[in-house]
Amino acid sequence: MVKVSPSILSADFVNLERDIKKVSTADYLHVDVMDGAFVPNLTIGVPVVRAIRKCTNMFLDVHLMIDKPVRYIEDFAKAGADLLSIHLEADHPTRIAEALKVMDQCGVKKAVALRPITSARAILPYIEDLDMVLVMTVEPGFGGQAFLESQLDTIREVRAIIDRYNPACELEVDGGISPKTAPLVVEAGANVLVAGSAVYGAEDIPGAIAALRV
């Protein structure tokens, strides 16, 4: 079954609790953390994740677009994240492995994320220990970007690696997801779809979530 993870990057931060309740029919809640270093944008941190955890029981799918993420794994886990995604481009491979080990110790689900410039094969050293792989179909850092159709090949390659080495691992896609692009990424092998403006920009939010479950 296709799962939907609405991104609060498109929510109204002044009314964040209200807007989280609006997407309560979704499977996950996607929380984009950006540090102004790994990506040019700056969003939220540990205190906001902690506040979100207090107002919802939704599965918190926390996407760390931050440099040297191992430094903050424990803090985000304690704040209430259920899953943490870290970018393979954000640190040396040994430090990525260390970050995944800390996630294990903290009891959170483990994911790695790939920018469009990164080969699917980059997940191979980690795949057997992962709960999810996140493929970006836009350049990370800002919401509302156009879907990069060239990333469909990366999704297919990641799906083949998952099927071979860790079939229980989920494959999430983030960037430009809409009712038009959702069938493309699902056909390529994705089963978790992150959507921001396609959900929060809709008049009927539950209907928009349902429409993505192609």
Side-chain angles (χ1 to χ4, degrees):
M1 186 184 74
V2 175
K3 298 177 182 178
V4 179
S5 187
S7 172
I8 63 166
L9 194 62
S10 296
D12 179 355
F13 275 52
V14 175
N15 297 286
L16 191 52
E17 182 176 4
R18 179 202 68 188
D19 279 11
I20 289 170
K21 289 178 179 177
K22 285 183 178 181
V23 299
S24 61
T25 60
D27 304 278
Y28 298 160
L29 186 70
H30 194 79
V31 181
D32 287 306
V33 177
M34 307 181 194
D35 64 356
F38 178 70
V39 292
N41 199 7
L42 187 65
T43 55
I44 63 175
V46 172
V48 176
V49 173
R50 187 181 298 117
I52 292 170
R53 178 78 290 162
K54 291 177 180 177
C55 76
T56 183
N57 291 320
M58 292 183 73
F59 183 97
L60 297 189
D61 167 21
V62 179
H63 181 189
L64 300 181
M65 286 172 271
I66 64 177
D67 197 35
K68 298 178 176 59
V70 69
R71 299 174 294 165
Y72 299 104
I73 299 300
E74 187 174 356
D75 290 338
F76 279 105
K78 288 181 177 178
D82 292 296
L83 176 144
L84 292 169
S85 300
I86 57 173
H87 272 268
L88 293 180
E89 310 88 2
D91 210 342
H92 187 275
T94 57
R95 298 268 285 174
I96 296 296
E98 183 182 348
L100 294 171
K101 183 178 179 180
V102 176
M103 289 183 210
D104 252 341
Q105 294 168 348
C106 293
V108 296
K109 290 184 178 294
K110 308 180 295 295
V112 296
L114 306 177
R115 290 176 59 187
I117 61 169
T118 305
S119 166
R121 293 182 61 82
I123 69 174
L124 283 169
Y126 317 100
I127 185 59
E128 293 182 4
D129 295 321
L130 297 177
D131 298 291
M132 181 186 284
V133 176
L134 168 55
V135 175
M136 296 295 297
T137 42
V138 297
E139 190 60 35
F142 294 92
Q145 297 182 64
F147 178 81
L148 296 175
E149 196 163 335
S150 60
Q151 282 300 93
L152 291 171
D153 287 339
T154 300
I155 297 167
R156 293 187 187 99
E157 291 174 34
V158 170
R159 169 48 63 192
I161 292 170
I162 287 174
D163 287 348
R164 180 174 180 181
Y165 295 103
N166 185 1
C169 182
E170 295 193 298
L171 174 45
E172 182 174 60
V173 174
D174 181 1
I177 298 299
S178 68
K180 180 180 179 180
T181 58
L184 301 177
V185 299
V186 171
E187 185 277 331
N191 74 295
V192 183
L193 308 183
V194 177
S197 53
V199 170
Y200 279 110
E203 289 187 15
D204 177 7
I205 287 179
I209 292 169
L212 294 173
R213 292 192 177 110
V214 289

